[in-house]
Amino acid sequence: MRKVLVEEHRRTTGSDEGLCIGLQLTHSGRYCRPNAQGKPEPRILYHHPILDRRLGLSRDYPILTDGQIRAIIEEFHRAARIASELGFDFVDIKHCHGYLGHEFLSAHTREGKYGGSFENRTRFLREVVQGIRSISPGLPIGVRLSAFDTVPFRPDPSQSANGKLGPESRIA
């Protein structure tokens, strides 16, 4: 795969000098794509009062278990090993934009080893990075990190004008 990308880059630009190609490792969490039947299957760490309502999740919607989280971590490790074996230059761990990795940081109410304390809420990222370093030593790792949360918002259509979206309206 990397070879094909390098050849295409060389064909279109005339050179591959300085080219660095990596793969992004992510889990969409709440925003998982629909299953084969077309039904969305969000994976969540805790019940969020605004996001659950936004996605239509009931109070009894299942939360990922620590065992399921461990399996996801192992998939990150496997993906990094494959990326390394295929000759990619680095992996980028997506820990931002509300996806699963980012959700760990706000899991204050989650019980167990992946929630509550700062140490527990950062455990997922630390275990992903430690495993990649162990399995694929020397493979550079980038992390896209959102270190803050804001209240979700959407544009206020009543204040839109000239084809431009209006200012944000908080989702309550």
Side-chain angles (χ1 to χ4, degrees):
M1 177 60 153
R2 184 185 188 286
K3 182 179 177 184
V4 171
L5 295 171
V6 171
E7 289 172 4
E8 180 61 18
H9 182 78
R10 192 179 299 130
R11 185 185 69 73
T12 58
T13 67
S15 172
D16 62 5
E17 185 176 339
L19 181 64
C20 186
I21 302 174
L23 291 181
Q24 183 180 82
L25 308 182
T26 190
H27 188 292
S28 297
R30 287 182 184 272
Y31 307 103
C32 286
R33 291 194 173 134
N35 62 21
Q37 292 75 37
K39 182 180 180 201
E41 292 186 338
R43 302 290 187 256
I44 64 173
L45 299 175
Y46 66 96
H47 286 285
H48 188 290
I50 297 171
L51 297 177
D52 284 6
R53 187 170 47 244
R54 182 186 217 184
L55 295 173
L57 303 180
S58 65
R59 291 296 306 152
D60 63 347
Y61 191 86
I63 292 172
L64 287 169
T65 66
D66 286 358
Q68 290 170 317
I69 293 168
R70 185 70 203 144
I72 291 168
I73 291 168
E74 290 170 5
E75 287 299 313
F76 272 75
H77 298 163
R78 187 175 75 82
R81 180 185 47 78
I82 291 168
S84 180
E85 289 172 356
L86 290 173
F88 286 89
D89 300 310
F90 69 96
V91 291
D92 171 29
I93 302 166
K94 192 165 186 180
H95 204 70
C96 57
H97 306 315
Y99 293 113
L100 186 69
H102 183 219
E103 188 167 325
F104 280 97
L105 298 177
S106 62
H108 296 276
T109 60
R110 180 186 171 83
E111 296 189 11
K113 69 186 240 179
Y114 293 101
S117 70
F118 181 76
E119 179 182 3
N120 286 353
R121 290 181 287 117
T122 58
R123 185 181 312 275
F124 174 82
L125 179 59
R126 287 182 289 113
E127 288 182 358
V128 167
V129 170
Q130 289 165 353
I132 293 171
R133 285 182 173 159
S134 173
I135 292 166
S136 301
L139 179 66
I141 302 169
V143 177
R144 228 178 281 200
L145 176 71
S146 291
F148 69 94
D149 276 324
T150 61
V151 175
F153 68 93
R154 63 176 162 235
D156 183 350
S158 70
Q159 295 187 44
S160 297
N162 301 325
K164 295 185 178 183
L165 299 174
E168 64 185 59
S169 171
R170 300 281 179 197
I171 297 174

